[in-house]
Amino acid sequence: MPSTEVGYVRRELPEKLKTIGLSLFAVGTGLGIIGFLINPERTSLSYLVTFMFLVSIGIGSLFLVALEYAVGADWSTPFRRISEFLAAVIPFLLILVIPLLLNMRNIFPWTHKSIVNSSELLKGKTAYLNIPFFIIRSLGIFIIWWVFYYFIIRNSRKQDSSKDQLLTKKNVNISSGFIPVFGLSITAIAFDWMMSLEPNWFSTIFGVYYFSGTVWCALAALTLIVILLNERGYLHRKIDSEHYYTLGLLMFAFTVFWAYIAFSQYLLIWYADLPDETIWFMHRWIGPWKIVSLAIVFTHFIFPFFYLLSYKVKMQAKKLKFIAIWILCAHLLDLYWLVMPGMPSNGYQYYFSWTDLVFPIAGVGLLILIFKYLSQKYNLLPIGDPKLQRGLDFHL
Amino acid sequence: MSENKNLNSVAALFDTPNKIINAAKKVKEAGYTKFDVNTPYPVHGMDKAMGLGQSKIGYVTLFFGFAGAIFIFLFMGWTMAINYPYIVGGKPLFPFQAFIPITFEVTVLCGSIATVVGMLAVFFNLPFLNHPIHDSNYIKEVSIDKFGVVIEAQDPIFERDKVTEFLKSLGGEKIEYINEPEKEEFKILQPKFILFLVVVAALTSFGTFITLNKLMYVVPFNWMDNQRKSNPQSETNFFYDGYAMRTPVVGTVAKEFMPYPYQGQAQPEVPLANPTLPTEQLLKMGQEKFLTFCSPCHGNYAQGVSRLKGQFPPGPTLHSAKIIGYSDGMIYNIITNGQNAMPSYAYQIPREQRWAIIDYIRVLQRAQNPNPSDFQAIKELNKESGKNAVN
């Protein structure tokens, strides 16, 4: 067992993970395919929810990595690798998007000529909302993300063996370039893949709304994995409750940030009370959707807010694990709430489909597989990073 | 020992954050409880080294934050929905969505102010603004580039020489004995303080004057002033007579306004007939309007006892035989046109309400001069309700 100067002892994650990941992924995908065969329209939307969830995890994690480099944070360096592993979803997006592109006409109303012609607003939007440009845009953005991912992660991994401090400097520059690109591209992704489901509606803050959710979700995933691994001794004994506290603090901050943005969007629409804006909320206030909407307020803000308010909770691994899982579920529910009500063939009514549950299973399986694979090839700690020691010594 | 009597604490300085962390740990391990550490910037890990628990100040923030939130939310609800119910922008009377931003702000405001004040109160022992270490050389050093520990004389195991030795053994330099300061005296009326107040007052007045009269009219800020339009009571060369304000065309009648035929006449030729039926609802309205508009001069029961305490000639009683004899239309004429010292109420009180007032005056008059049959009627009413209303 090789031990490094910071005292990191590398241990393999249990082989069991591979089986678990593979079976989850296989079951999820298998059932998903059946879903596509039975009811492609409904299944495409279920798939879209999980796809957006994976986008959240991937790009949110890459954002956390870039943020750490750009602001020179050292407390999170000991577990930056975890976020790096999670960001490895990004290259897969190019494959995962294919079923959606094949089913675009099932998902997006604006792909239908008759619908576009029936609305002046949509006619005006055709310059942006048309199939070729949409595909180019989405693939282009995924490729740009991949490029940034590739360079940042490559430099980070190289450092493990070369210990070259200049690599950190290079990554600071790349990350600083990435953040504005990220801001614009995530807005475009949110607009394209979720807002355009109800193409007559528009909200300029929608991109920020999605951003707040992605980072929240990526933080929860990071917290959960850090605690799970560290409890079993895969990381470093110096990572302790003070690191957990800081992760909890960030989750708390993003809970409030999300609420701030979500409410800003709601308040303006509520105040102006214009039919073509309120319709979006009306669709989410009909029948059982009302319950889902209220559940969003509770699960996405009220509960995590009061839960994470306390200093003591943020210090306790067990309680943080619980809220991290809660947050992941809440984000999934939020995406569900953003995507589903707009489905016109639904008659804007709520209707549940078993396919909604299938894809998250496959998604989790995929994440486990990616994580297990990468953890076999690379260290779980960036052992060559000059900030690592300071990060391990971090105190409040 | 007499030399110890005035001693507040013993202080020692250290050079680096690591040394101070180490010193803090040692002081704690040695069993001291009343000691403090002063550093020029927050040193990470200090809380742990000093063995401090979670700060209690968070509870102050929590309490006042929530108190502020609840108070302001209910307060806005009360003003909007209860005290002065008023529909704004077509929203419900209790538009809680609109309250949220302010609730948020007030939560933050109350929370943060309470935190600062609470901190001052706890650490400085308000109202005292002085701490013994403030006048020491020690505090000067630790606010620049040194790190210091003070052990207070109040500590149960404090012994001056032992503490000195102990701090030295930890590597502390420049051991300083800090004495209790002399008792503070607050002399409010010192000449310096008064001069200070005068200067502040002069500066504030000057600043306000300049801002309101000059700065506000500096070019980039007066866009709203310079609009291409005529303001009320200003000149214009658009109309031949030069007045920007126009009077309505002769014969114009305002919307929903019925011109009064005997405008300005003390004695109408044929007084108008009262078009209303004295229903209970109408009388209620008449009572309300009478109390609002007429009672200041004529008294609450129209008995001619003014409520204005001589600020205006009191209105005469309305229970005189003359007024009882007046037709409704005649009283209507007085309300509409006014009479001598009494001004016209044509613009304050809509027609319908004027008639309601008159009906109510009739009720008051009847109450002062009841018929025998009225008593009979009241007795029967009492029998029904089982009470004695005449008493």
Side-chain angles (χ1 to χ4, degrees):
Chain A
M1 272 194 238
S3 166
T4 61
E5 50 193 282
V6 289
Y8 163 63
V9 183
R10 192 179 158 159
R11 284 170 51 205
E12 286 301 333
L13 296 185
E15 278 308 301
K16 201 171 58 187
L17 273 184
K18 210 186 266 171
T19 341
I20 297 177
L22 207 60
S23 37
L24 287 180
F25 183 68
V27 169
T29 321
L31 290 174
I33 290 173
I34 297 175
F36 267 112
L37 294 176
I38 297 174
N39 184 351
E41 192 179 315
R42 184 68 174 75
T43 312
S44 313
L45 283 166
S46 303
Y47 184 76
L48 178 59
V49 173
T50 303
F51 177 75
M52 290 317 288
F53 185 75
L54 290 176
V55 172
S56 292
I57 297 255
I59 197 62
S61 299
L62 187 61
F63 172 71
L64 290 179
V65 173
L67 195 64
E68 184 199 305
Y69 276 118
V71 303
D74 48 31
W75 66 272
S76 59
T77 308
F79 32 83
R80 191 185 67 227
R81 262 301 138 74
I82 314 288
S83 291
E84 288 178 14
F85 287 177
L86 289 175
V89 183
I90 292 175
F92 287 90
L93 294 179
L94 282 164
I95 305 167
L96 292 173
V97 76
I98 292 172
L100 290 173
L101 293 181
L102 294 178
N103 278 294
M104 270 176 78
R105 293 177 66 79
N106 282 333
I107 304 174
F108 299 109
W110 51 263
T111 53
H112 298 272
K113 268 252 149 51
S114 57
I115 295 181
V116 173
N117 284 336
S118 67
S119 155
E120 280 305 311
L121 208 61
L122 289 190
K123 275 190 219 161
K125 286 184 183 181
T126 44
Y128 184 84
L129 280 186
N130 58 65
I131 296 178
F133 189 30
F134 182 93
I135 296 178
I136 293 172
R137 215 162 44 226
S138 297
L139 297 184
I141 287 172
F142 294 148
I143 289 171
I144 292 174
W145 287 354
W146 188 2
V147 170
F148 276 105
Y149 164 80
Y150 177 77
F151 284 108
I152 296 178
I153 281 12
R154 193 194 56 174
N155 286 343
S156 165
R157 287 175 185 162
K158 240 200 253 166
Q159 216 172 25
D160 275 13
S161 49
S162 74
K163 318 261 182 227
D164 182 1
Q165 302 207 358
L166 275 180
L167 288 170
T168 300
K169 187 148 176 45
K170 263 191 210 161
N171 262 359
V172 170
N173 291 337
I174 302 175
S175 302
S176 313
F178 168 70
I179 287 174
V181 173
F182 164 74
L184 289 175
S185 54
I186 195 152
T187 305
I189 290 294
F191 280 11
D192 286 2
W193 286 97
M194 291 189 299
M195 203 165 87
S196 81
L197 291 168
E198 283 159 88
N200 277 309
W201 183 76
F202 51 89
S203 158
T204 44
I205 207 173
F206 196 80
V208 190
Y209 179 94
Y210 179 56
F211 160 76
S212 62
T214 56
V215 180
W216 199 55
C217 164
L219 272 170
L222 172 64
T223 312
L224 181 65
I225 297 176
V226 166
I227 294 177
L228 285 177
L229 291 181
N230 204 33
E231 277 177 345
R232 291 164 177 73
Y234 289 102
L235 293 180
H236 196 288
R237 68 190 156 74
K238 276 193 152 180
I239 297 177
D240 60 7
S241 56
E242 290 177 284
H243 292 92
Y244 298 165
Y245 173 83
T246 316
L247 283 168
L249 207 57
L250 264 180
M251 285 196 285
F252 178 70
F254 270 87
T255 308
V256 180
F257 180 62
W258 176 86
Y260 191 96
I261 298 302
F263 186 73
S264 301
Q265 172 171 299
Y266 172 74
L267 185 72
L268 292 201
I269 291 173
W270 173 81
Y271 249 127
D273 211 3
L274 299 174
D276 48 347
E277 293 180 353
T278 47
I279 188 73
W280 194 80
F281 282 105
M282 290 305 291
H283 288 163
R284 282 153 185 77
W285 206 246
I286 301 171
W289 279 119
K290 190 169 176 173
I291 299 167
V292 181
S293 297
L294 291 173
I296 292 283
V297 177
F298 178 75
T299 55
H300 216 297
F301 174 63
I302 295 180
F303 181 77
F305 177 83
F306 285 100
Y307 191 87
L308 284 169
L309 198 54
S310 149
Y311 172 87
K312 290 189 192 110
V313 166
K314 289 188 285 249
M315 285 290 211
Q316 290 173 29
K318 214 170 124 206
K319 301 209 162 152
L320 278 182
K321 260 192 299 187
F322 166 72
I323 196 69
I325 295 173
W326 177 286
I327 286 175
L328 290 171
C329 297
H331 183 62
L332 193 63
L333 183 67
D334 183 30
L335 293 172
Y336 183 77
W337 178 80
L338 290 175
V339 168
M340 288 298 172
M343 185 168 43
S345 62
N346 231 337
Y348 300 114
Q349 278 301 318
Y350 179 84
Y351 103 75
F352 179 78
S353 161
W354 56 273
T355 52
D356 292 340
L357 300 176
V358 161
F359 291 109
I361 296 175
V364 171
L366 180 66
L367 287 174
I368 294 178
L369 283 180
I370 293 177
F371 201 90
K372 169 68 183 146
Y373 172 74
L374 290 174
S375 72
Q376 277 169 343
K377 288 182 70 179
Y378 307 101
N379 295 318
L380 283 169
L381 258 66
I383 51 170
D385 196 298
K387 293 187 294 183
L388 180 60
Q389 187 61 50
R390 254 185 297 155
L392 289 170
D393 290 339
F394 170 75
H395 287 296
L396 289 176
Chain B
M1 270 190 280
S2 61
E3 60 191 277
N4 269 5
K5 213 169 182 192
N6 227 356
L7 189 67
N8 172 274
S9 49
V10 181
L13 293 173
F14 295 83
D15 281 334
T16 63
N18 283 343
K19 282 188 190 162
I20 192 71
I21 292 250
N22 180 45
K25 266 187 204 149
K26 290 275 156 55
V27 172
K28 167 152 197 292
E29 279 163 18
Y32 293 101
T33 47
K34 295 212 175 232
F35 71 99
D36 205 353
V37 172
N38 301 85
T39 58
Y41 56 83
V43 174
H44 285 297
M46 184 53 84
D47 288 14
K48 220 178 189 176
M50 289 176 69
L52 298 180
Q54 185 199 352
S55 164
K56 295 278 173 294
I57 201 79
Y59 292 106
V60 176
T61 318
L62 186 75
F63 176 79
F64 281 94
F66 277 125
I70 292 168
F71 165 74
I72 201 68
F73 192 83
L74 294 180
F75 181 72
M76 280 185 287
W78 176 73
T79 52
M80 295 274 301
I82 297 171
N83 186 38
Y84 198 82
Y86 198 70
I87 302 259
V88 180
K91 300 298 179 204
L93 276 179
F94 187 78
F96 70 91
Q97 292 95 331
F99 300 163
I100 300 239
I102 294 169
T103 308
F104 171 71
E105 316 263 301
V106 173
T107 313
V108 174
L109 185 75
C110 288
S112 45
I113 290 180
T115 311
V116 172
V117 174
M119 222 162 62
L120 291 179
V122 170
F123 293 122
F124 279 132
N125 259 334
L126 282 183
F128 298 102
L129 294 171
N130 197 356
H131 193 279
I133 66 169
H134 275 182
D135 283 335
S136 63
N137 197 38
Y138 165 83
I139 196 76
K140 281 182 201 140
E141 302 252 14
V142 297
S143 6
I144 303 171
D145 60 352
K146 289 281 192 287
F147 306 82
V149 168
V150 279
I151 300 183
E152 291 175 18
Q154 299 219 330
D155 196 288
I157 56 170
F158 183 86
E159 264 174 63
R160 185 187 140 131
D161 300 330
K162 250 190 171 171
V163 166
T164 314
E165 279 311 307
F166 176 58
L167 286 175
K168 272 191 189 145
S169 73
L170 294 177
E173 294 158 16
K174 295 200 191 160
I175 305 285
E176 189 176 344
Y177 299 105
I178 296 171
N179 289 326
E180 287 292 349
E182 276 161 34
K183 228 178 156 250
E184 274 180 277
E185 275 184 55
F186 300 103
K187 265 200 236 136
I188 293 286
L189 294 180
Q190 293 171 22
K192 256 193 202 164
F193 182 63
I194 292 179
L195 188 71
F196 169 76
L197 286 186
V198 170
V199 170
V200 167
L203 279 181
T204 321
S205 322
F206 181 73
T208 316
F209 178 82
I210 292 290
T211 315
L212 291 183
N213 293 296
K214 301 280 179 262
L215 280 185
M216 300 268 288
Y217 299 97
V218 170
V219 171
F221 304 119
N222 63 0
W223 299 314
M224 297 289 268
D225 276 359
N226 287 342
Q227 296 184 28
R228 288 190 38 136
K229 65 167 195 193
S230 303
N231 291 321
Q233 312 197 338
S234 65
E235 258 180 275
T236 174
N237 49 19
F238 185 75
F239 296 109
Y240 62 90
D241 60 0
Y243 290 109
M245 266 158 60
R246 313 307 301 161
T247 44
V249 178
V250 181
T252 308
V253 174
K255 212 174 156 195
E256 290 177 8
F257 175 81
M258 184 74 88
Y260 183 54
Y262 307 116
Q263 190 68 43
Q265 293 178 26
Q267 199 65 48
E269 283 144 37
V270 187
L272 300 185
N274 188 343
T276 58
L277 275 179
T279 59
E280 189 178 341
Q281 202 191 359
L282 192 86
L283 289 175
K284 277 251 162 65
M285 170 161 83
Q287 179 185 30
E288 190 189 325
K289 298 300 163 190
F290 178 87
L291 288 173
T292 307
F293 290 107
C294 317
S295 75
C297 298
H298 289 279
N300 284 341
Y301 303 104
Q303 72 281 43
V305 183
S306 161
R307 299 203 275 123
L308 296 179
K309 304 191 173 133
Q311 294 168 37
F312 191 86
T317 169
L318 302 182
H319 297 293
S320 58
K322 174 171 135 202
I323 303 300
I324 292 176
Y326 270 170
S327 67
D328 285 359
M330 184 61 203
I331 302 182
Y332 185 86
N333 192 57
I334 294 176
I335 303 178
T336 311
N337 285 331
Q339 177 183 297
N340 301 326
M342 172 169 156
S344 154
Y345 279 85
Y347 292 105
Q348 285 90 326
I349 312 177
R351 281 182 326 144
E352 155 105 325
Q353 296 181 4
R354 274 177 250 168
W355 289 116
I357 289 176
I358 292 164
D359 289 331
Y360 181 66
I361 291 176
R362 294 296 185 219
V363 171
L364 290 175
Q365 288 171 344
R366 178 75 170 268
Q368 292 295 310
N369 311 292
N371 297 340
S373 64
D374 289 348
F375 290 111
Q376 198 54 42
I378 288 176
K379 261 184 205 149
E380 260 151 44
L381 272 180
N382 285 345
K383 235 182 241 159
E384 274 169 36
S385 66
K387 273 186 259 158
N388 196 347
V390 179
N391 285 346

